[in-house]
Structure formats: C-alpha cells, structure tokens
Amino acid sequence: MEFVSPEGLRLDGRRPTEMRQLRAEIGNVAKADGSAVFEMGNTKVIAAVYGPREVRCEYSMANFSTGDRMRKPKGDRRSTEISLVIRQTMEACILTHLMPRSQIDIFVQVLQADGGTRSACINAATLALQDAGIPMRDIVTSCSAGYLNSTPLLDLNYVEDSAGGPDVTVGLRLLSCGTYGYTLGPMD
Amino acid sequence: MVGLSEGEQEFIKGGIAQDLRSDGRKRYTYRPIYVETGVIPQANGSARVRMGSTDVIASVKAELGRPSAMQPDKGKVAIFVDCSPTAEPTFEGRGGEELSAELSSALQHCLLGGKSGAGAGIDLSSLVVVEGKVCWDLYIDGLVISSDGNLLDALGAAIKAALSNTGIPSVHVAAEAASDEQPEVDISDEEFLQFDTSGVPVITTLTKVGKHYIVDATLEEESQMSSAVSISINRQGHICGMIKRGGVGLDPSVILDMISVANFVSRQLMDKLDSEIAAADADEDES
C-alpha cells in the first residue's frame, strides 16, 4: 500500500515532516489539582493530576467480598506498558525530593485513539502537572515518527502506525535539551 | 472529597431551607449547561455536557446485529457508563465499578423501558433493517470525566444530545434471500439517517435535603441528602422511568409532589437542552 504518494503527500494530505493539528485545554476537571486535554489530530487524551497528597494505605476488595468470586483483572499489557513509560518520563522531571512521603497521581484517559496515543498522553500529563503547579525541573514533550515507503514520517496516524514499519516515540526535555528516546515497535 | 465540618453542613442545609443555596441558586435552578456535539468523530454520534463542574461525554456506536428472537421487529440498545479516575482518584481500577454499575442500570431503566421493550424512550423499531434477521445494535457509552454531583441528569442529557447527533448509515439489502439465511447488506458510507430523538426523555433528579427538594445538586449538597428521586419525563409529560435512591423512607404523598415538581422542572431542562443541542449542531455544521 502506498503511504507516500509520488508527489510526497501522505494519506491525509500531510507532508512527511508535517504534524497533525494540535489543540490543548487546561483546567477542565475542576476537582483535580491539575488537568489538561490534548489533541493531536483525531487522537484525544485527557489527563488529571491529584497531588501531592498523603500516601494512603492501599485497600483492595477481597476476592470473596462480592457475591461471585472475581479475581482482579490484570490491566491489559499495552496499557500497563504505556503507564510505565509515562511514569518513568514524568518521574525523571518532577522534583520529587521536594515532596517527601507524598504521592502524586496522574490519571490519563484516552477519549479517541488515532495513532500517537503515547505521545498525546505524555503531552497531556505534562500540561496537567504544570496546571497543578507541581515543581518540575523540565518540560517533556513527545511525538512519534516512523519510516514508510523509504520516507521518514513525523506524527503517525493509526493507519500509518499499523502499517508494520518501524516507529519510535520520543520524549524530549525542552530546557536541558536531553532526549529520552523510547524505541517501540519492531525495528526491521 | 474533603469532609465537611458541622458548620458547613448546617450552612448547606440552612441555605436550601431558605431557597438560597451555597452558590446562590434557587432550589429549582440548574447550573449553566454547555453542550458540544460531535466531540468523538470516530463514533456515530457523541456529545459532551457540562453542568457546572460536572463533565460527561456520551458516545453512540452502531453495529449491525441480529434482533432478539422475542422482539424481531426491534433493534437493540445497550448503555454502559465508565467513571474515569480523572474525576476522582478513588475510581482507579475497580473503585469506580459500583458507581458505574449504578449509573448504567439507572440509565437503562429510565431510557429503555421494561424487558419487553415497551415504554422505551428510544424508539427501537426504527433500528430494524430486516425484520427478524438484521437490526442495528446501538452501544451507548457514557464517560464521567469530572464529577460534581448530578451525574445522572448530565449523562441523560449527554445521551440525548449524542443521539440527536447520531447518523445511522443507510443500508441496502440485497434481493430476496432464503428465509433462514442472513441477507446480504451493504452499508453505505455516504448516506446517513439522523436518529429521531423527539421521544427521548430527559432525566431530572430531585434531591431531598431536610424538608425541601433541590434540583441539580452539587457533590457537597448530595452528601447532605436523605433521599433522591430521579424521574425521566418525555416531551409529552409522560414518565418513562423512575428511581428512588437513599435509605430514608418517603411518604407516597411526597413522591407524588416530587413528580409534579419534576414535571415542571424537566420542561425547562428539555427546552434548554433542545436549544443547546440545536446551537451545538449549528456550530458543528459551520466548523
């Protein structure tokens, strides 16, 4: 399938190094300490930050406390992986030593997925953390890129992402100009 | 939510008794309502409704399926609600399940009528394609993004708005198939039929605090409630569903009084919602 036309246009009419339309809103969730909605094209993600607050004892329902015996379902692997990636990225930037014995909860909800959800999640989480006023040493932004039809492409949408070519999501720290690169997806 | 002190609780209860709530509203006044339609382009229909700080999204997806054997001339609708942890940290993992289940079943009750499909606010016969063989299955998903009380009314409004935004693709059925075979269907990408929502009811929740009822309670006001009655009423003023929550018993005369208040209030809500939906649709058409 042709992802880049001979004139150099992608399936949605973009140039290879062109990003999708970005839109962001902060402060949507009034009750959260910080929140943000981030859109990259059709991918729409909302993030809410609660904290810093006291670490509460975790309490989980015992398996037998409801009528039927229900084992706690494991989050599917992909969401667990994305949560881990976001956590590692944010942990590196938040000045956690200023808030000992506290917990910061970042909740991210994907409203619509059209490729680049990891990046949208990181961007939304960054905005939400800033809206919450959490002390950070840097700002992280993120975007994905891939390689199809011998052309490097920026900001893949779902069709390009599922084409089977290699892709990478990069988290970039703005102020210190360091890069956290996460290679994800098979690099053929 | 941070706990309320005795003083704050008395303030809320006293205010309601004097028809002057903490945010200055009267007992039967709704918070400002904002409606946006088409927020999820990948769904057949969607809407986002904000009532004060309560923020919910409803999306409608339509898929072809088989009608049930007991009602071959009706399509099927399923309503699910998910409480996102962005609204409340305690909703993480299994935490929000109880509330989600309660809201889902309340919405099904108010909008879908009984098991036989009778009294449904949503006209299921308009969803049938080939009687007995092919029908549309509507999956309505509600998502609570931010919770500040009155989730049921907000979700009901969002579902009504999402349905008004829903386009069901028109289906061309291939010529006569044998009676027990599935007919071939061709779903058109171009033509869409707008779903008719004139019969869809709105849900009005009356929360009883002390001797008085209020409409559109905030989370703090809900914490002081003794009981709440949610009534879904359609444009004709007919009751499509009713639920009572809360442990305190209510005298039947109180319930009848609440129904007449709900009738009056829901008219205003319905008008406000219809005008907001029309404005949202117009905005969407322009953009």
Side-chain angles (χ1 to χ4, degrees):
Chain A
M1 187 175 160
E2 194 185 71
F3 294 98
V4 186
S5 74
E7 297 90 38
L9 292 175
R10 290 150 78 171
L11 293 168
D12 51 9
R14 286 184 285 155
R15 297 247 155 237
T17 52
E18 200 183 320
M19 281 194 68
R20 291 174 289 181
Q21 191 183 43
L22 299 176
R23 215 175 294 139
E25 259 176 67
I26 53 171
N28 295 69
V29 181
K31 281 181 54 197
D33 293 314
S35 61
V37 178
F38 200 84
E39 288 179 56
M40 293 170 87
N42 281 335
T43 297
K44 197 164 166 176
V45 153
I46 185 168
V49 167
Y50 289 89
R53 26 183 215 156
E54 222 178 283
V55 181
R56 289 173 308 185
C57 299
E58 290 291 316
Y59 109 92
S60 51
M61 261 168 51
N63 288 339
F64 50 80
S65 57
T66 58
D68 308 317
R69 202 201 148 121
M70 284 186 284
R71 247 171 302 141
K72 182 173 172 164
K74 269 195 168 142
D76 65 298
R77 271 203 345 229
R78 197 160 170 268
S79 351
T80 322
E81 192 219 333
I82 298 185
S83 312
L84 197 61
V85 163
I86 298 177
R87 205 187 88 191
Q88 285 173 347
T89 316
M90 294 302 147
E91 253 176 5
C93 296
I94 297 177
L95 293 164
T96 45
H97 65 270
L98 292 179
M99 299 165 285
R101 291 186 300 282
S102 312
Q103 151 177 327
I104 297 175
D105 286 319
I106 307 176
F107 298 108
V108 184
Q109 175 86 42
V110 176
L111 297 174
Q112 209 174 221
D114 186 25
T117 24
R118 237 168 292 237
S119 307
C121 290
I122 291 176
N123 292 331
T126 303
L127 279 175
L129 284 166
Q130 289 171 32
D131 187 37
I134 308 263
M136 286 165 65
R137 62 170 62 88
D138 212 331
I139 300 171
V140 188
T141 56
S142 171
C143 191
S144 63
Y147 192 76
L148 289 170
N149 290 151
S150 319
T151 324
L153 300 174
L154 185 66
D155 194 14
L156 307 173
N157 60 27
Y158 180 71
V159 180
E160 294 165 339
D161 204 0
S162 24
D167 65 273
V168 64
T169 303
V170 175
L172 184 72
R173 277 167 64 165
L174 287 184
L175 298 175
S176 57
C177 295
T179 321
Y180 292 100
Y182 297 94
T183 39
L184 301 148
M187 300 283 273
D188 300 316
Chain B
M1 193 190 76
V2 179
L4 294 174
S5 69
E6 288 264 2
E8 283 170 307
Q9 290 174 22
E10 285 307 312
F11 191 75
I12 292 174
K13 288 193 255 197
I16 290 171
Q18 293 175 38
D19 205 13
L20 181 65
R21 292 153 75 173
S22 308
D23 51 9
R25 284 186 286 154
K26 293 195 160 305
R27 278 182 229 134
Y28 301 151
T29 312
Y30 270 89
R31 285 170 288 185
I33 302 175
Y34 298 105
V35 176
E36 260 176 82
T37 53
V39 291
I40 314 242
Q42 287 169 349
N44 291 78
S46 59
R48 177 179 174 192
V49 165
R50 267 173 290 167
M51 285 184 180
S53 299
T54 294
D55 196 346
V56 302
I57 290 185
S59 82
V60 179
K61 286 226 71 148
E63 282 172 24
L64 282 179
R66 266 196 98 103
S68 84
M70 285 178 294
Q71 278 132 49
D73 61 339
K74 293 194 159 69
K76 306 202 287 295
V77 177
I79 304 182
F80 298 108
V81 174
D82 186 24
C83 294
S84 167
T86 54
E88 187 71 49
T90 49
F91 289 165
E92 198 192 351
R94 307 285 299 270
E97 248 178 52
E98 210 183 289
L99 182 59
S100 304
E102 194 194 316
L103 290 168
S104 308
S105 86
L107 286 165
Q108 279 167 356
H109 209 78
C110 286
L111 298 173
L112 297 182
K115 277 204 162 61
S116 65
I122 298 175
D123 180 19
L124 299 177
S125 350
S126 63
L127 294 175
V128 78
V129 176
V130 176
E131 196 171 311
K133 299 218 186 110
V134 183
C135 72
W136 282 109
D137 287 341
L138 288 187
Y139 294 100
I140 304 181
D141 287 296
L143 179 65
V144 175
I145 300 180
S146 176
S147 157
D148 191 20
N150 207 23
L151 290 174
L152 201 53
D153 291 14
L155 283 164
I159 291 177
K160 187 173 161 80
L163 285 170
S164 75
N165 179 242
T166 299
I168 310 268
S170 34
V171 184
H172 302 286
V173 186
E176 298 302 308
S179 59
D180 48 354
E181 268 175 29
Q182 283 291 96
E184 297 239 330
V185 286
D186 176 34
I187 305 177
S188 139
D189 275 333
E190 305 292 316
E191 297 158 28
F192 286 90
L193 303 162
Q194 287 302 117
F195 196 79
D196 173 28
T197 55
S198 52
V200 179
V202 288
I203 305 178
T204 307
T205 302
L206 286 174
T207 309
K208 189 161 192 282
V209 177
K211 289 208 202 80
H212 303 272
Y213 336 121
I214 51 172
V215 137
D216 196 13
T218 62
L219 209 55
E220 288 178 349
E221 290 169 335
E222 277 180 357
S223 70
Q224 299 309 305
M225 78 173 193
S226 54
S227 51
V229 174
S230 302
I231 306 174
S232 79
I233 304 185
N234 66 12
R235 211 156 245 299
Q236 282 79 41
H238 297 155
I239 297 180
C240 300
M242 201 164 92
I243 303 159
K244 180 207 168 281
R245 285 173 293 140
V248 175
L250 288 177
D251 192 275
S253 61
V254 172
I255 301 233
L256 289 174
D257 190 38
M258 280 171 122
I259 292 176
S260 66
V261 171
N263 219 331
F264 163 67
V265 172
S266 69
R267 204 138 292 284
Q268 296 171 9
L269 177 60
M270 180 111 40
D271 290 335
K272 172 84 182 148
L273 210 51
D274 282 340
S275 68
E276 283 287 320
I277 292 175
D281 281 339
D283 279 339
E284 205 201 336
D285 286 334
E286 269 166 44
S287 67

